[in-house]
């Protein structure tokens, strides 16, 4: 119900009511997104870059990924895995791919959805099978992220999210020696 409320707020152009007060590792963000999906057991977060998401963007990135993960589990065969993988692009942007084994889409429909997901035309509830894609479009716009859908393998789809470099930073590993040094006398 919380995600449904957050989706309605996003569709109305409102800011989220929850906030995060510190950066969060992208892997934790992906796991949090998976936990918001009814069929979360099918989702496998395999490999993501070691970066942190800016505090102000954590809630929206979790929500965006949750909507895409929900679609992936909903439109792929029951019991089949949904994989989350990612990488860092040369310019510092972060790529997150969600692969499923669903039936795919007709190329014309895919082209129209991709144009709309990236702000070239608004998504209309009557034209999509799920309001989730309308939410994804609004969240991507707010984050200045890019989202694209394309075929994956012989059967399946990939939802690709490209997060701008300003949303992430490399994880700064704490120096464990600093925690174990005795206090001076």
């Amino acid at each position: 119900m919380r995600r449904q409320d957050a989706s309605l707020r996003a569709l109305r152009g409102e800011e989220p009511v929850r906030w995060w007060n510190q950066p969060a590792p992208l892997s934790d963000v992906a796991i949090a997104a998976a936990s918001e999906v009814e069929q979360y057991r099918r989702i496998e977060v395999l490999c993501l870059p070691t970066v942190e998401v800016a505090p102000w963007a954590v809630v929206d990135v979790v929500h965006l990924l949750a909507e895409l993960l929900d679609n992936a589990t909903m439109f792929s065969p029951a019991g089949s895995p949904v994989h989350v993988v990612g990488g860092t692009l040369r310019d510092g942007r972060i790529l997150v791919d969600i692969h499923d084994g669903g039936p795919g889409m007709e190329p014309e429909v895919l082209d129209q959805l991709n144009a709309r997901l990236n702000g070239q035309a608004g998504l209309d509830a009557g034209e999509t099978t799920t309001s989730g894609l309308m939410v994804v479009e609004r969240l991507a716009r707010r984050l200045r992220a890019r989202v694209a859908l394309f075929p994956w393998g012989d059967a399946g789809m990939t939802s690709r999210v490209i997060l701008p470099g300003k949303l992430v930073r490399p994880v700064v590993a704490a120096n464990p020696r600093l925690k174990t040094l005795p206090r001076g006398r």
Side-chain angles (χ1 to χ4, degrees), residues 8-104:
L8 292 172
R9 289 177 179 284
L11 290 172
R12 289 190 305 256
E14 297 175 12
E15 294 292 321
V17 293
R18 296 184 314 146
W19 292 98
W20 205 251
N21 62 2
Q22 58 188 343
L26 181 59
S27 57
D28 290 355
V29 169
I31 291 167
S35 73
E36 293 194 6
V37 175
E38 183 178 350
Q39 299 179 50
Y40 66 91
R41 288 187 176 104
R42 294 176 47 200
I43 299 168
E44 299 174 8
V45 178
L46 299 177
C47 180
L48 290 170
T50 308
V51 295
E52 294 177 322
V53 177
W56 61 268
V58 168
V59 171
D60 281 344
V61 174
V62 167
H63 191 177
L64 184 141
L65 294 176
E67 293 295 339
L68 292 171
L69 288 166
D70 197 39
N71 283 351
T73 60
M74 201 174 350
F75 293 110
S76 60
S80 66
V82 171
H83 296 125
V84 181
V85 297
T88 304
L89 302 175
R90 289 183 188 178
D91 62 3
R93 294 179 300 160
I94 300 298
L95 174 132
V96 178
D97 280 351
I98 298 169
H99 303 297
D100 69 54

Side-chain angles (χ1 to χ4, degrees), residues 47-177:
C47 180
L48 290 170
T50 308
V51 295
E52 294 177 322
V53 177
W56 61 268
V58 168
V59 171
D60 281 344
V61 174
V62 167
H63 191 177
L64 184 141
L65 294 176
E67 293 295 339
L68 292 171
L69 288 166
D70 197 39
N71 283 351
T73 60
M74 201 174 350
F75 293 110
S76 60
S80 66
V82 171
H83 296 125
V84 181
V85 297
T88 304
L89 302 175
R90 289 183 188 178
D91 62 3
R93 294 179 300 160
I94 300 298
L95 174 132
V96 178
D97 280 351
I98 298 169
H99 303 297
D100 69 54
M105 292 183 201
E106 294 295 322
E108 302 80 30
V109 173
L110 203 52
D111 289 343
Q112 291 172 356
L113 283 176
N114 281 325
R116 291 177 175 151
L117 281 169
N118 287 291
Q120 296 170 4
L123 281 169
D124 180 1
E127 299 177 49
T128 64
T129 56
T130 174
S131 65
L133 290 179
M134 292 188 312
V135 173
V136 167
E137 185 265 335
R138 300 281 166 69
L139 293 169
R141 186 180 333 146
R142 185 159 53 209
L143 294 166
R144 299 184 192 263
R146 300 215 19 102
V147 178
L149 307 172
F150 54 90
W152 182 59
D154 294 335
M157 293 292 299
T158 293
S159 301
R160 174 165 288 165
V161 178
I162 300 178
L163 299 172
K166 71 176 186 159
L167 294 184
V168 296
R169 69 176 188 194
V171 173
V172 179
N175 185 342
R177 292 183 57 195

